[in-house]
Amino acid sequence: MIWKITSLIFHRPKQVLSSISNPFSRQRILLSTFPANSPDLKTLCSNGQLKEALLEMGIQGLEVEFQGYDSVLTECISQTAIREGQRVHAHIIKTCYEPPVYLRTRLIVLYNKCRCLGDARRVLDEMPERNVVSWTAMISGYSQRGYASEALHLFVEMLMSGTAPNEFTLATVLTSCTSSSGFQLGRQIHSLVIKTNFESHIFVGSSLLDMYAKAGKICEARGVFDGLPERDVVSCTAIISGYAQLGLDEEALDLFRRLQREGMRSNYVTYASVLTALSGLAALDHGRQVHSHVLRAKLPFYVVLQNSLIDMYSKCGSLTHSRRIFDSMPERTVISWNAMLVGYSKHGLGREAVELFKLMKEENKVKPDSVTFLAVLSGCSHGGMEDRGLEIFYEMVNQKDGFEPEIEHYGGVVDLFGRAGRVEEAFEFIKKMPFEPTAAIWGSLLGACRVHQNVHIGEFVAHRLLEIEPENAGNYVILSNLYASAGRWDDVRMVRELMKEKAVIKEPGRSWIELDQTLHTFHASDRSHPRKEEVFAKVRELSIKIKEAGYVPELSCVLYDVDDEQKEKILQGHSEKLALAFGLICTPGGTPVRIIKNLRICVDCHNFAKFLSRVYGREVSLRDKNRFHHIVGGTCSCGDYW
DNA sequence: ATTTGAATAC
C-alpha cells in the first residue's frame, strides 16, 4: 500500500498530496517518500544564492523538507535578510503541520538579528514546547539590544518553567546584570553558576567577571579571572577593559603587559581597551607605539579600533592625528563622528565642531544621536558660539524623527548662556526646563557666576549645590573665589568654616607629564619625587620671575585657615605647578610643555601658567578634568572660562 | 545559541 502511494506521488505529486486532507498525514507521506530536496537548497545557500533558493522553494510548493528550510533560514540569518526570512516564515506556516523546535528557534534568531524583537517573541510565545536553546536565543536577543529587564524576566520565567540553563544561557544572561537592579540577580546567578559547576567555563567566567567589572567590583572581577583554569583573549580583554573603564589606567596597562609576556594574543578589541587606558593617561608616546604596532600587524579594517585611535590622539592633545585617521576611514559609525566632535569640543574648537557637524549632515550616511548633539553643544559653548549652539539645540527639539532632548542637553544650553555671560537667562532656563536640575547643571552655572562675578545668583546656586553634593570640594573653592572677587572676605572665611564642618573629602590632586616615554606624576606638595628639591626651587624661581610681570597669587584658592604666607606656599605646592616646573627643567627652552591634571585646574595655577607662557616663551598644553587649555603668549584657549 | 570593544555635559 505504502509503496503504491509512493509510486503515485513520485509521478503525480501535486494531485496526490492535495487529495489527502489531513495535514499531518500529508506531511508524513511527504517526508517519508520524497528523496530529500534539501541538498539543492543547501548548495544554493552555501553559495549565498538566497534569491535562487527562495525561487526554488516557490516552484516546489509543498515539497520542502525541514532540512531545506533550515538551510535557507541559516543563510537568511547570515545575510540579515529580513524580507526573505519573512517569506520563508510564511512558507513554513503554510506548509508545515508542526514545525519542529529547531526551526522555530532559527526564526527567533533571525528576527532578533534583524531587530524585530516583537516578531521573535511572538514565535517563542506560539511554541507548544520550548527547549533551552529557544529560551536562550530570545534572552540573547533582549540582552544584545539592551533590554536588560526583559532578558532577566525571561530568564526567571525559564527557571520557573523547569528548564535548566546551560553555559550558553548563563553567559548570555550575565551580560544583562550590569545595572544596579540587575546586579542583585547577578550575584544570585553567580551562586547558580557555582552550584551547576560552570564556574570554570571560559565563556561563563568571562561574562561573570565582566559583570563585576561593570558594576565597579573590580576585586571580585579579578577573583573570577584568577580562578579561571584557562584564559583566552576574551577573558583577558574583559579584565583589562574592566580596569580601564574604572579609570585604573596604570593597572590596566600593567596587566596588559604581563598577559602579553605570558603569551596572550591580543586582538583588535584588546588594543581598543589598551588605547582607552592610554587616553586616560594621555600617554602619547605609548599610544603612538600601539598605533604603529597595530599598523605592523596589518589587521583588517576595524571601525572600533580606528574610533579608539581617534579618541586616543585627541585626548593626548594631537587633534591633527585624530583627523587624519578620521579622514582615512573607508567607513564611519556615529561613534567615529562623535569621537572627533568631542575632540574639537574639548580643545575649544567650536567652529571646527560645527563645520564637522555640517559635513555629517551633508554626507547623510550616519544619523546624529544624542551624544552628537551633546558634543556640538559643548563645542559651541567652549568655542564662544552661543547663538549657533542655541540654534542647534532648537533644531534638535524640532526634529521630526528625532529624539526628546535629555537633561544633559539642557545642561549644555545652561552652559552656553553661562559662558556667554547671560547668567540670568541661564537661571531662567533652569527654572523652566522639564527636569530637576542636577549638580552638574548647578555646577556649570556656579562657574559662570564666578567668571562673570554674579554674586547674587551665585549664592543661590551655591546653596542648592552644597545641599546636593556637600562632599565636593571644588564647589567650595569656586564659591570662595567668587566671594574673594567681590571683596567679601568674611564670606570667604564662612565658606572655609562650612567646609570644615561638612568634613569634605577632597580627591587628591595629581598632575603628570610624559617625558621620553615615561610618565612623571606629582601630588600636591609632593615630597616623594627624587628631584623634589630641584622642582620646588624651580617653582619658587618661576614665581618670583612672573611676579615681576604682574602675577599675583590667588589666595582664595586655598581653603585652609592659615596665614597668607602659608597660603602662598600651599599654592606653590599644587601638583600642576610641580609638573610644569619639572617640564621646564627637563626640556630645552622654546619647546612646548604638555601637562595633565586629574581635577579641574584652579584659578591660581591657570594664572601661573599664563604668565609663564609669556615670560618664558613656552607653549603650555594643559589637559584638566574638563578640557584642554592651550596657553600661548599669556592667553589661554579657554578664554579664562572652564 | 554563548563571552570581550570605541564616544557622553560640569
Side-chain angles (χ1 to χ4, degrees):
Chain A
M1 177 61 188
I2 287 283
W3 187 85
K4 264 190 178 163
I5 294 177
T6 309
S7 154
L8 266 174
I9 294 176
F10 192 73
H11 292 106
R12 310 205 147 165
K14 291 252 158 80
Q15 286 95 319
V16 174
L17 282 171
S18 55
S19 70
I20 301 170
S21 56
N22 180 340
F24 185 63
S25 322
R26 203 164 68 189
Q27 201 167 28
R28 282 283 299 274
I29 291 167
L30 173 72
L31 290 176
S32 60
T33 54
F34 267 96
N37 56 10
S38 53
D40 298 339
L41 292 174
K42 213 171 172 177
T43 315
L44 288 172
C45 288
S46 62
N47 292 334
Q49 294 169 286
L50 201 48
K51 287 220 161 58
E52 289 77 359
L54 284 177
L55 202 64
E56 187 76 3
M57 237 168 65
I59 293 167
Q60 293 190 15
L62 290 171
E63 302 162 28
V64 177
E65 52 142 29
F66 297 148
Q67 296 298 324
Y69 281 126
D70 199 44
S71 306
V72 183
L73 281 179
T74 307
E75 190 54 26
C76 288
I77 293 168
S78 94
Q79 293 189 23
T80 327
I82 181 62
R83 295 177 65 149
E84 287 79 1
Q86 281 166 339
R87 282 175 58 192
V88 178
H89 189 179
H91 210 278
I92 290 174
I93 290 174
K94 210 165 69 189
T95 61
C96 294
Y97 177 60
E98 244 177 20
V101 177
Y102 71 87
L103 265 193
R104 297 178 193 250
T105 306
R106 284 255 192 266
L107 285 168
I108 296 179
V109 174
L110 171 75
Y111 282 126
N112 279 336
K113 189 167 181 213
C114 300
R115 298 166 184 266
C116 304
L117 298 195
D119 293 317
R121 183 57 191 259
R122 222 161 293 131
V123 175
L124 182 79
D125 287 342
E126 285 165 3
M127 283 171 85
E129 52 182 310
R130 306 166 185 187
N131 62 17
V132 60
V133 183
S134 32
W135 284 105
T136 305
M138 192 66 228
I139 294 172
S140 154
Y142 283 135
S143 298
Q144 282 175 7
R145 302 286 168 217
Y147 295 103
S149 69
E150 283 81 356
L152 296 179
H153 272 116
L154 200 61
F155 178 70
V156 173
E157 207 182 302
M158 170 184 172
L159 295 182
M160 305 229 287
S161 79
T163 311
N166 63 12
E167 69 272 29
F168 292 92
T169 325
L170 293 169
T172 302
V173 76
L174 281 167
T175 61
S176 284
C177 293
T178 46
S179 71
S180 54
S181 52
F183 183 64
Q184 292 305 320
L185 191 60
R187 278 198 190 280
Q188 290 176 26
I189 296 175
H190 189 178
S191 21
L192 188 67
V193 165
I194 295 171
K195 233 187 288 173
T196 46
N197 283 323
F198 279 123
E199 208 187 358
S200 52
H201 187 280
I202 186 90
F203 280 18
V204 178
S206 304
S207 198
L208 190 59
L209 84 84
D210 187 57
M211 176 197 76
Y212 279 119
K214 290 214 167 79
K217 316 269 179 208
I218 195 69
C219 292
E220 270 139 308
R222 186 57 186 264
V224 175
F225 180 75
D226 288 338
L228 288 175
E230 48 169 351
R231 295 166 182 169
D232 64 359
V233 210
V234 175
S235 48
C236 291
T237 305
I239 188 73
I240 292 170
S241 106
Y243 281 110
Q245 275 168 18
L246 288 171
L248 300 166
D249 302 316
E250 284 103 335
E251 287 83 348
L253 287 178
D254 287 346
L255 192 58
F256 168 68
R257 293 202 184 100
R258 215 191 77 199
L259 292 172
Q260 225 177 14
R261 272 200 307 275
E262 291 173 7
M264 171 187 62
R265 292 177 53 143
S266 307
N267 65 15
Y268 74 104
V269 184
T270 323
Y271 292 124
S273 306
V274 168
L275 286 169
T276 305
L278 293 171
S279 306
L281 294 169
L284 182 58
D285 293 344
H286 293 85
R288 278 202 197 104
Q289 267 181 4
V290 172
H291 187 186
S292 60
H293 187 85
V294 162
L295 291 177
R296 273 202 307 276
K298 290 206 175 13
L299 300 177
F301 171 77
Y302 291 112
V303 192
V304 168
L305 189 49
Q306 304 287 313
N307 288 350
S308 54
L309 281 168
I310 293 177
D311 185 53
M312 182 277 291
Y313 277 117
S314 108
K315 287 191 175 146
C316 290
S318 186
L319 271 182
T320 346
H321 285 93
S322 300
R323 186 58 192 255
R324 208 170 292 161
I325 289 167
F326 180 85
D327 285 337
S328 76
M329 290 168 80
E331 235 174 279
R332 306 183 188 107
T333 61
V334 68
I335 298 196
S336 327
W337 292 92
N338 290 353
M340 200 62 232
L341 286 168
V342 169
Y344 283 134
S345 149
K346 292 249 176 206
H347 285 263
L349 298 172
R351 214 158 297 283
E352 283 79 353
V354 170
E355 270 308 304
L356 193 69
F357 182 56
K358 219 175 98 194
L359 196 67
M360 182 183 189
K361 287 192 293 187
E362 280 166 8
E363 225 190 72
N364 199 23
K365 280 190 196 155
V366 176
K367 211 174 152 250
D369 68 1
S370 117
V371 176
T372 315
F373 281 99
L374 216 50
V376 182
L377 279 179
S378 142
C380 289
S381 181
H382 285 301
M385 303 163 67
E386 73 272 15
D387 289 330
R388 191 74 193 88
L390 285 174
E391 272 172 41
I392 288 171
F393 177 75
Y394 286 111
E395 178 188 318
M396 182 178 113
V397 174
N398 297 327
Q399 251 187 108
K400 280 193 200 76
D401 58 337
F403 33 79
E404 288 292 299
E406 294 150 21
I407 187 151
E408 287 84 358
H409 299 104
Y410 284 90
V413 174
V414 171
D415 207 56
L416 280 171
F417 280 128
R419 145 103 211 186
R422 293 155 71 170
V423 176
E424 280 85 3
E425 279 168 275
F427 194 39
E428 290 307 312
F429 187 81
I430 290 181
K431 286 191 207 157
K432 277 191 302 201
M433 65 183 196
F435 293 98
E436 198 58 36
T438 58
I441 289 180
W442 288 129
S444 150
L445 186 55
L446 182 63
C449 292
R450 174 185 69 76
V451 174
H452 300 289
Q453 305 197 355
N454 191 323
V455 185
H456 180 63
I457 294 181
E459 272 186 312
F460 178 85
V461 171
H463 193 71
R464 279 288 116 78
L465 198 52
L466 298 185
E467 268 172 22
I468 307 176
E469 44 168 34
E471 71 288 346
N472 184 340
N475 297 332
Y476 296 87
V477 178
I478 297 172
L479 184 59
S480 166
N481 292 156
L482 177 63
Y483 281 135
S485 69
R488 288 168 57 171
W489 303 108
D490 287 343
D491 290 315
V492 171
R493 215 163 297 131
M494 185 270 294
V495 173
R496 192 163 56 226
E497 289 303 314
L498 198 65
M499 192 167 161
K500 213 193 286 177
E501 195 182 297
K502 303 271 181 190
V504 172
I505 316 148
K506 192 170 178 280
E507 186 186 340
R510 160 167 73 82
S511 302
W512 60 97
I513 178 171
E514 188 187 41
L515 295 167
D516 295 328
Q517 303 192 20
T518 311
L519 296 176
H520 298 264
T521 305
F522 295 86
H523 297 266
S525 303
D526 206 332
R527 298 274 160 197
S528 64
H529 198 271
R531 292 168 73 176
K532 60 191 179 216
E533 290 312 326
E534 207 182 331
V535 173
F536 276 101
K538 186 73 179 179
V539 175
R540 281 194 296 274
E541 177 203 316
L542 296 171
S543 234
I544 292 165
K545 200 72 175 275
I546 63 179
K547 270 182 187 166
E548 291 167 13
Y551 162 74
V552 180
E554 179 57 57
L555 300 181
S556 72
C557 288
V558 180
L559 291 182
Y560 297 104
D561 194 10
V562 289
D563 61 40
D564 286 0
E565 196 183 322
Q566 203 58 33
K567 278 184 188 165
E568 195 177 336
K569 214 164 168 191
I570 291 172
L571 284 179
Q572 288 188 357
H574 276 187
S575 63
E576 49 271 58
K577 293 197 188 78
L578 303 180
L580 203 48
F582 189 66
L584 257 62
I585 294 172
C586 297
T587 56
T591 44
V593 190
R594 210 165 51 87
I595 307 287
I596 304 96
K597 157 126 194 173
N598 66 334
L599 306 173
R600 187 208 278 236
I601 185 175
C602 83
V603 176
D604 182 65
C605 287
H606 197 259
N607 277 338
F608 188 94
K610 283 199 299 178
F611 276 101
L612 185 138
S613 72
R614 184 153 60 86
V615 174
Y616 286 82
R618 288 282 197 139
E619 206 178 304
V620 179
S621 159
L622 199 150
R623 189 186 91 185
D624 76 0
K625 202 175 182 178
N626 295 336
R627 59 166 292 158
F628 275 88
H629 300 262
H630 291 290
I631 307 171
V632 187
T635 50
C636 180
S637 62
C638 77
D640 298 335
Y641 185 104
W642 67 94

